[in-house]
Amino acid sequence: MTAQIRRILTTPTVGPLLALLVACVFFYTQNQRFATGNNLSLIIQQVTVVGTLAIGQTIIILTAGIDLSNGLIMAFSQMLMAKMAVDGTFDPVVAQLGLSESAALIVVPFITITIGMVVAIGAGLLNGLLVTRLNLPPFIVTLGTLNIFFALTRIYTISSATQLPDVLTFFGNTFTIQETRITYGTLMLLALVAITWYLLTQTQIGRHIYAVGDNPEAARLTGIPVKRVLLIAYSYAGFMYGMAALLLIARTRVGDPQAGQNSNLESITAVVLGGTSLFGGRGNIIGTLVGALIIGVLRNGLQLMGVPSIYQVLFTGILVITAVAVDQFSQRAG
């Protein structure tokens, strides 16, 4: 029994989950509005974008890499989706196909979503190719592509895209359960977490990702195609960045060229707070969701207490340093 308890307590997710529960209890004692259904739903809504980015970031960090470009990949992807849906890019195609106006309002957004997703996946694949083919450090590669996609977003457009079709904003719509409003974006986030959890824990590629992050040379010697695993990991992360772009559009209902500038740091924060090791090979996607929720709970609770937003950033920074320090100590102890 003692061994089982010790095993449970040393599980990477347990610490973040306990921290989340303690934070929830503390903020409830400060303001009972914190625990209302609509406020808890709002917290989840506020972390859908960073949570989705953090899923992709988790995959990269599990391979002992890091992705600084994810927020700007998301920004460029969402601008493609939004702007092409409203600026008449596909009017000649609509005319050639003879589509009615109502049909065009459905078909065109799906085309733009597909293009945005392909670009995001391609951006992730580009990062992976630079890391595996040129043997460049992921930090340097993604720092470079961060600047590339920042520039591409500004070159493509300098103004927001508004009056978006309903297809693009669908995940921002809500439904009600016992007077609590829940967005479809919340369900999408949970679905993406579940899918990624399955891939990491129940499939061969998931086991390979952990093996490569733990010791790439040992993984290579056991026959694991390390470079192919990394390409798959970076491409899957790109898919998540595309999904984050779609969820961002749904939440804000505009295409914003200023979006995503700090999202890379927020996603890394969620991953670290969730117990995933920056050294690679240890962590899980459930912990990442918990880490994202810790960020949301912290900001929401402090806001309800009337604490200035700058202190929210301060406390988040302290939490990150603490989480990394604990991870490093545990690595040394191991």
Side-chain angles (χ1 to χ4, degrees):
M1 181 64 69
T2 303
Q4 292 178 346
I5 294 175
R6 187 182 298 113
R7 190 183 306 114
I8 293 173
L9 292 177
T10 54
T11 302
T13 310
V14 171
L17 187 58
L18 289 175
L20 177 62
L21 293 175
V22 169
C24 289
V25 171
F26 171 76
F27 288 125
Y28 175 70
T29 62
Q30 301 302 305
N31 191 323
Q32 294 188 357
R33 286 170 48 203
F34 175 83
T36 61
N38 280 321
N39 188 63
L40 295 177
S41 177
L42 176 62
I43 292 172
I44 301 176
Q45 292 173 36
Q46 291 173 334
V47 302
T48 52
V49 175
V50 67
T52 305
L53 282 176
I55 295 174
Q57 189 73 257
T58 301
I59 301 298
I60 303 303
I61 291 179
L62 283 174
T63 66
I66 199 164
D67 192 346
L68 301 178
S69 65
N70 60 357
L72 274 303
I73 292 175
M74 174 189 71
F76 184 56
S77 178
Q78 59 103 23
M79 284 310 304
L80 286 176
M81 293 180 186
K83 194 167 185 297
M84 288 192 299
V86 297
D87 68 355
T89 300
F90 295 100
D91 284 352
V93 177
V94 171
Q96 186 173 2
L97 294 177
L99 297 176
S100 64
E101 183 177 352
S102 58
L105 288 175
I106 297 175
V107 173
V108 170
F110 275 113
I111 295 175
T112 63
I113 290 172
T114 301
I115 292 174
M117 292 297 299
V118 169
V119 168
I121 294 170
L125 179 60
L126 173 63
N127 284 337
L129 288 171
L130 292 173
V131 169
T132 58
R133 305 305 179 190
L134 300 182
N135 293 318
L136 298 176
F139 182 91
I140 298 301
V141 167
T142 58
L143 179 62
T145 52
L146 176 153
N147 288 285
I148 289 172
F149 286 103
F150 176 83
L152 288 176
T153 303
R154 297 304 185 280
I155 291 170
Y156 183 60
T157 181
I158 58 174
S159 60
S160 299
T162 59
Q163 297 181 337
L164 304 180
D166 293 340
V167 173
L168 282 176
T169 60
F170 169 78
F171 288 110
N173 297 336
T174 62
F175 62 95
T176 303
I177 298 180
Q178 295 184 348
E179 299 183 356
T180 298
R181 299 176 64 187
I182 301 172
T183 65
Y184 292 104
T186 297
L187 299 184
M188 176 54 71
L189 172 62
L190 297 177
L192 294 173
V193 168
I195 292 169
T196 306
W197 173 86
Y198 179 83
L199 291 174
L200 286 176
T201 61
Q202 307 298 316
T203 67
Q204 185 181 63
I205 186 61
R207 292 188 289 271
H208 287 177
I209 286 173
Y210 279 102
V212 169
D214 187 51
N215 191 324
E217 182 60 22
R220 186 186 66 81
L221 292 174
T222 59
I224 294 175
V226 174
K227 291 186 177 181
R228 187 169 67 185
V229 170
L230 289 174
L231 287 176
I232 293 173
Y234 278 92
S235 298
Y236 186 76
F239 169 76
M240 286 299 163
Y241 306 156
M243 290 302 303
L246 184 58
L247 292 175
L248 176 62
I249 291 173
R251 176 158 176 75
T252 61
R253 297 188 179 272
V254 298
D256 182 10
Q258 305 297 326
Q261 296 186 33
N262 297 319
S263 296
N264 54 356
L265 301 181
E266 292 179 348
S267 66
I268 294 170
T269 299
V271 175
V272 171
L273 291 179
T276 296
S277 173
L278 288 174
F279 299 95
R282 187 167 65 91
N284 61 74
I285 205 66
I286 303 301
T288 294
L289 177 61
V290 174
L293 290 174
I294 290 174
I295 296 174
V297 165
L298 181 66
R299 292 180 176 175
N300 180 271
L302 291 175
Q303 186 174 10
L304 289 177
M305 291 173 60
V307 176
S309 60
I310 190 63
Y311 289 101
Q312 301 173 24
V313 179
L314 172 66
F315 293 141
T316 302
I318 293 172
L319 282 176
V320 171
I321 294 173
T322 303
V324 174
V326 169
D327 177 52
Q328 189 166 11
F329 289 145
S330 65
Q331 287 284 336
R332 292 175 179 174

